[in-house]
Amino acid sequence: MDSGTPGELVQLLTPEGERVHHPDYDIDVSAEELQSIYRDLALVRRIDLEATALQRQGELGLWASLLGQEAAQVGSGRALHPDDYAFPTYREHGVAFTRDVDPLQLLALFRGVSNGGWDPNEKNFALYTIVIGNQCLHAVGYAMGMTFDRRRAHADSTDAVIAYFGDGASSQGDVNEAFIFAASFDAPVVFFCQNNQWAISEPLEKQTKIPLYRRAAGFGFPGVRVDGNDVLAVLAVTRKHLADARAGLGPSLIEAFTYRMGAHTTSDDPTRYRLASDLENWKLKDPIERVRAYLWRQGLADQAYFDGVEAEAETLAVRLREGCRSMPDPSPDSMFTGTYAEPYPLVDAERAEFAHYLESFAAPAEGGH
Amino acid sequence: MDSGTPGELVQLLTPEGERVHHPDYDIDVSAEELQSIYRDLALVRRIDLEATALQRQGELGLWASLLGQEAAQVGSGRALHPDDYAFPTYREHGVAFTRDVDPLQLLALFRGVSNGGWDPNEKNFALYTIVIGNQCLHAVGYAMGMTFDRRRAHADSTDAVIAYFGDGASSQGDVNEAFIFAASFDAPVVFFCQNNQWAISEPLEKQTKIPLYRRAAGFGFPGVRVDGNDVLAVLAVTRKHLADARAGLGPSLIEAFTYRMGAHTTSDDPTRYRLASDLENWKLKDPIERVRAYLWRQGLADQAYFDGVEAEAETLAVRLREGCRSMPDPSPDSMFTGTYAEPYPLVDAERAEFAHYLESFAAPAEGGH
Amino acid sequence: MADATTPKGPEKVTLARALNMGLRRAMEDDDHVVLLGEDIGKLGGVFRITDALQKDFGEDRVIDTPLAESGIVGTAVGLAMRGYRPVVEIQFDGFVYPAFDQIVSQVAKMHARSRGDLAMPMVIRIPFGGGIGAVEHHSESPEAYFAHTAGLRVVTPSNPVDGYWMIQQAIRCADPVVFLEPKRRYWEKAELDVTAAPAPLFEARVVRPGRDLTLACYGPMVRTCLDAAAAAAAEGREIEVIDLRTLSPLDFDAVCASVERTGRLVVAHEATTFLGMGAELAARVTERCFYSLQAPVLRVGGFHTPYPPSRLEEHYLPDLDRVLDAVDRALEY
Amino acid sequence: MADATTPKGPEKVTLARALNMGLRRAMEDDDHVVLLGEDIGKLGGVFRITDALQKDFGEDRVIDTPLAESGIVGTAVGLAMRGYRPVVEIQFDGFVYPAFDQIVSQVAKMHARSRGDLAMPMVIRIPFGGGIGAVEHHSESPEAYFAHTAGLRVVTPSNPVDGYWMIQQAIRCADPVVFLEPKRRYWEKAELDVTAAPAPLFEARVVRPGRDLTLACYGPMVRTCLDAAAAAAAEGREIEVIDLRTLSPLDFDAVCASVERTGRLVVAHEATTFLGMGAELAARVTERCFYSLQAPVLRVGGFHTPYPPSRLEEHYLPDLDRVLDAVDRALEY
Ligand SMILES: Cc1ncc(C[n+]2csc(CCOP(=O)(O)OP(=O)(O)O)c2C)c(N)n1
Ligand SMILES: Cc1ncc(C[n+]2csc(CCOP(=O)(O)OP(=O)(O)O)c2C)c(N)n1
Ligand SMILES: [Mg+2]
Ligand SMILES: [Mg+2]
């Protein structure tokens, strides 16, 4: 497999925490911003660890860990403006965090309390999409709508959309059709592929023999590969491509080169299909460690700062544990209320019948549930 | 729209009938072969004209004309070996001709007598596929099977597959998934896109803003654009890419740049969406005229030869007209026999009931059909 | 071809024209209504249902898309999220299946998934059914796939007047509506009064009263069933014909009210009977009217075979005689 | 984890293991049997149904594909044309829809289109149904979509013994078979004698005799219905339970024979009742057994809503009590 030439990878912060520069993508980050980025990364990782633990304790049915992908998600999520819109897969907990979605709502989904959780149009963050690739078309449609709105308002520029998907998803018809529609309509959308090297047990080579970012050229728009474990590079590259989208330059594709450090989900057993040594290599490229090293060595944050973040993470963890454990189950009645926006006789009848049926158990009677 | 640089188009015979040379693709064609090519082109055009006429006379429900695409089809079809396998759309009458499919069987389909017509495995020519793009995946699967067979036989090389599709089809998920599977499995398949500039009323720009052959690079395999009205170039390019496929080099994409000179089908009215002047330009690039000019000017064929082909075409036309008009309708019973290969009680019962029902009309009774 | 203004007085129009007029009026009434599909712009669609709309409303509201049905429906989902009311045209019934995933997994489920935060006011127009002498995949009756899918609504007009009103009502509906257009009836005419008050969208209609037997049908079969009822009347049998109009929800109240009176029900459709709409009607009506039914509910429909080559379609499609054959059998009980 | 040889004597195995053994034996018997799917190689599938098969049969026979279901089924069509017998794994029920077009327009219709020249001996394996506490799209019951599609066959084993034989029979069938695996029963065990003679694939089976009422079910609901019948027996009601096993064709003869004796029929499934298998059974059985039925056919099934979040699934899935409730109602007529 052609894994791309080294120069292809945009990097601004090396795994060792050295700041490097790039001719096309650069960024000025203040100490405060960098601290805030570090905080996001640390909190997001903590959310993920807590969720994994809650799943082990039986509090969640499943969890899809983002371990290792924090920078790709926080970097790209932070590049968004409030009015931009993000379309996630099921693993974008870090992006959710940057969109101000309460992590408890993510837990609610994986606990089986809800199939959604937040109001998408309040957060400008679509619901998690589990069917691989579907959301990329929604993203393009949404972006087309932004263009129509802009033209109606005779405005110069517009907001933008970001569509998340995985390396495995790049093989789905929907994702490729999304590329086609986006190109055809010059939609202001950034396709953000987190290439974490695996689609469950299948390595990247099953999906493609050339670097994924090059797919874009075949559809007539730019593609770029960024070090997905480098939050600064991800931030810079995403900002730039969002800006291009806003300016009417149409879609582009960002491939964030990263690694899924955990199992696919808590149901998965990666020892069946991959080598521990790969993981060891990627550990050296940890997305958080390098920011910490940089902050520390440049004197941009002191121990008190790191301790503060740690304490905040602890508080958050407690809130998540308690919030998760005390989360009430939805009422059976709620099954019936969401299906249609307008009255639908059969559902109304089933609802009434089922309420009646449940009551028959509540009544003091022989037999029972 | 970026319509490609002039040098991108492989051409071996100019519209004026001049033989030109190309560094990567060349070909040696004997006078006999060229005569035979001319004959194919002429007969295929005649088939098409007859079919269009038969549709106007009410003998066919519909006809999808290949007018203008004779060279793309005859050139690529003639590049196939007998054991190669071709997967057509609904317009590949010229390819069908090179696969020795009786044109009457094409007429049977458009007459509504059959949904298929020939035995695909006898002709190594799949049935016409109407759902846009579906056949590209079949082609890849078939090619994968060839690879498996080759490896089982410990053979060095294999046969190859050609998958036909249109410029509009290039937007379908299935076609792009076919690219992905073909690349992933190094399938010996040549994707042959007849870019006739139109998908019914939609111009190429709706589907893509860059030349279609470049799509291939995004998936990691070679793509080339050939003058689709130049039968020699099409033959040379297709031969070369089939040879590569046979040799284990995996898939490739050929974009045959051509023009749909007629309506999309006999149901279509192109005056609603395109200019007559475009047609005039493309008439100058007629795929048959240039071969005739070359044969004539080089003294490779004389008037007697052309007259002979004309006479053959006339004989064929008579056979088609008569064959089409006298084609019997299938029996109602045949509706029931093809659905399943093994017995299926409900269909058997419906078959018996319907036969009984039909008999009730045959019997001398009051009322009637 | 079409004029740009909605005519005011009653006028004889075809179903195709009525749909075109209804779309136009819906677009005038709400500027967030946008149309998406293949060849719906300059061409006006292969059946001309969107004739002249792009010229009058522009390319941002009548959108020729790339050739990919999943793409069309998937982007329509995004447009709906952005506040538009997309009306999608699928060129022929047999080409809706590439979009099946988006329809079943996204369009149908989005409202429930978001617990009502996101509505999906989308209309998916599909010319459906056979009888026009077409090649394969152009004569399918996919209604049961959609009606079985919770979260969707499915309606079908049988005549120009319903076509005009129902398309507007479907567009105004907050839920996704699969709108099936009986393509072999596109060219049939009726007088259309655009100032009249329309019937509710989700109700069936008795189109011919009768007391001996109820004949339920929809879309392209309504004409056939009315003809059958007329023929039966000549022989003294009074058949009540119900145009179901809505397949999801199904108007069981209307059908049951009729069956309570007639005691007999025949359901006719083009789709394969096995798990077709007739199955659900038979099951539910038998449950609700068990003691009123004097005969089992009989079904007339397509066979359990793919739609045949067009030279055989007259045998595949239930015609007047096959409907009457079932009526006779039901009356014999 | 699994051993490489098919064990010879009776052994207690899970449904998951029985399917694995059946696949192995089919692959041994016919070297043109190939498996395609996502994660079916090293991982052995997310449910381990293909465990160790790639190791033993190689990557050309157990094929991990790119992540695209239309691609999987579409290439399987080509492989079938080339003489292979592809067995496709769809990872979960909710992910079959991207392949719906290839299944409905190509797999189901190829034999008819070619008038028998091309058979489509393909098996499409789908773990289906709910009850495992999964997230959205992992608990669907899509059987009616496939059973309504002429050209397909649909079967579902309810237990390990059927799992072992039916998968082999499905693979030998010359027609395409949608093979639905009741995923919440994957871990239930039964004694499997691999030397016994299997029952025919396309026949239902009476799994518990009884004379008061017939209870028809399939796949995951068979266990539930047997439990319900046992509970009813304790109260003196003799329920005959029929495991349908095949949904297309449906074995009406078996169901009608039972109903002729019992006079009552309840059908239970997880899928939405509206146009679910119960609708077809109710319609056809009522037609055939009109004078024997003492009560309308009652259906117990999923509601007309998307499958709910898993914390509610115990309410959505018909359980013993809901089945008995319907039984009681049917007996009250
Ligand atoms: C259409 C569809 N097919 C299969 C699945 C099952 N599935 C869930 S995640 C996954 C792998 C996805 O890989 P990738 O796109 O790389 O994303 P990642 O999980 O690595 O973040 C698969 C096959 C699915 N959710 N949807
Ligand atoms: C899935 C699907 N959608 C729509 C159609 C209707 N349709 C038939 S041909 C056609 C245009 C095809 O254009 P192109 O691929 O360029 O092939 P051409 O007809 O130009 O040869 C369309 C939209 C179809 N057959 N299948
Ligand atoms: Mg991945
Ligand atoms: Mg074209």
Side-chain angles (χ1 to χ4, degrees), chain B residues 167-168 194 196 198-199:
Chain B
D167 45 296
Q194 284 169 82
N196 64 7
W198 294 93

Side-chain angles (χ1 to χ4, degrees), chain D residues 200-247:
Chain D
L201 180 57
F202 297 111
E203 288 185 11
R205 181 192 292 133
V206 175
V207 287
R208 180 189 173 107
R211 53 170 192 223
D212 295 335
L213 179 143
T214 305
L215 179 56
C217 53
Y218 53 90
M221 286 300 294
V222 174
R223 178 78 266 144
T224 309
C225 288
L226 283 170
D227 292 347
E235 299 182 19
R237 286 164 300 171
E238 299 295 327
I239 294 177
E240 178 145 306
V241 181
I242 297 188
D243 179 352
L244 293 169
R245 299 174 78 249
T246 170
L247 307 182

Side-chain angles (χ1 to χ4, degrees), chain B residues 1 25 45 61 108 139-140 157 159 168 172 219-220 236 248-249 279 295 297 301 310 318 353 366 368:
Chain B
M1 141 121 202
Y25 300 97
R45 177 165 293 179
V140 174
S157 79
D159 305 312
Q172 277 286 3
F219 292 92
L249 300 185
L279 210 64
L295 280 170
R297 265 190 263 136
E310 184 54 34
V318 171
E353 279 161 27
E366 74 293 40

Side-chain angles (χ1 to χ4, degrees), chain D residues 6-90:
Chain D
T6 306
K8 288 287 134 50
E11 185 196 2
K12 265 217 156 185
V13 298
T14 61
L15 172 59
R17 174 95 177 97
L19 290 166
N20 177 265
M21 290 165 63
L23 285 171
R24 174 179 294 279
R25 188 153 161 193
M27 295 183 78
E28 284 164 356
D29 288 351
D30 179 351
D31 70 359
H32 277 80
V33 173
V34 293
L35 317 188
L36 292 93
E38 295 159 6
D39 306 294
I40 66 170
K42 280 189 184 162
L43 187 62
V46 295
F47 290 109
R48 308 293 184 267
I49 308 301
T50 57
D51 189 35
L53 296 179
Q54 188 181 66
K55 180 168 67 59
D56 296 336
F57 293 96
E59 296 194 16
D60 281 3
R61 293 194 61 197
V62 181
I63 306 163
D64 269 338
T65 65
L67 206 176
E69 286 75 10
S70 189
I72 297 173
V73 174
T75 52
V77 169
L79 282 162
M81 289 177 67
R82 181 73 187 176
Y84 286 87
R85 296 184 98 82
V87 181
V88 161
E89 173 170 304
I90 299 292

Side-chain angles (χ1 to χ4, degrees), chain B residues 10 27 44-45 51 56 60 78 82 98 100 110 188 195 207 230 256 326:
Chain B
V10 179
I27 197 170
V44 161
R45 177 165 293 179
R56 293 225 179 88
L60 302 181
R78 288 182 65 111
T98 69
D100 207 25
F110 287 96
N195 173 2
Q207 323 288 343
D230 172 353
S326 63

